[in-house]
Amino acid sequence: MDTLSFFWDLKQQTDIELLKTEVGFAKGDAQAAAQSVLMNIVVPLEKRLDKLSLVTRAMWSLLREKTDVVESDLVRRIADLDAMDGQMDGKVTRPPMDCPNCKSMVSRKFNRCLFCGYVPPEGSPFDSV
Ligand SMILES: [Zn+2]
């Protein structure tokens, strides 16, 4: 092995070790970010979903017990509400509205105008869900 080859190999090995270290740091950063998303977003959402499921079951149980509504009525109503936004996709999507201040489209997802800050008054308790 001549001197040039020796130094070339040394440089290659040094570069490989440096890249291995950088990959290790990147993996650590990605794992920390995933853990943060899990703990700060997914876990709270699961808790809210569990609570919502419990409340919904309690409401359905009371409704069935106190009225003559049956499960087929519930199934039909779910389908009717699902179809209200024009898509049978298992969710209720409220259509965007025109901002009364600046006439921009306001996504009901954010429930405020992103251009001028207008906040539409709540009409129903479900408007903020
Ligand atoms: Zn606006």
Side-chain angles (χ1 to χ4, degrees):
M1 177 181 292
D2 62 21
T3 305
L4 185 59
S5 294
F6 172 77
F7 283 111
W8 178 251
D9 287 350
L10 183 63
K11 181 190 179 329
Q12 293 295 316
Q13 286 302 320
T14 304
D15 287 349
I16 288 169
E17 293 306 317
L18 183 63
L19 288 174
K20 283 181 180 175
T21 302
E22 288 177 5
V23 167
F25 286 138
K27 280 183 181 174
D29 289 348
Q31 287 171 340
Q35 184 70 17
S36 175
V37 167
L38 181 69
M39 297 311 293
N40 296 315
I41 297 174
V42 175
V43 169
L45 281 175
E46 281 183 344
K47 284 182 181 174
R48 287 180 61 199
L49 183 61
D50 288 344
K51 177 78 176 199
L52 186 59
S53 177
L54 177 63
V55 170
T56 304
R57 286 175 185 265
M59 289 174 64
W60 173 240
S61 172
L62 277 172
L63 189 67
R64 224 179 23 201
E65 184 181 301
K66 307 266 183 200
T67 69
D68 59 352
V69 176
V70 294
E71 191 152 331
S72 60
D73 297 326
L74 176 65
V75 170
R76 192 171 28 259
R77 184 59 55 95
I78 289 170
D80 291 347
L81 289 173
D82 189 4
M84 274 179 39
D85 61 7
Q87 287 186 318
M88 295 289 289
D89 54 5
K91 60 185 179 182
V92 175
T93 305
R94 291 176 295 144
M97 60 176 278
D98 292 330
C99 175
N101 281 348
C102 70
K103 309 300 178 211
S104 299
M105 286 284 229
V106 177
S107 167
R108 303 307 291 257
K109 183 177 178 182
F110 301 111
N111 223 26
R112 71 179 179 86
C113 179
L114 298 178
F115 296 94
C116 74
Y118 172 79
V119 177
E122 286 191 26
S124 158
F126 294 102
D127 285 350
S128 59
V129 176

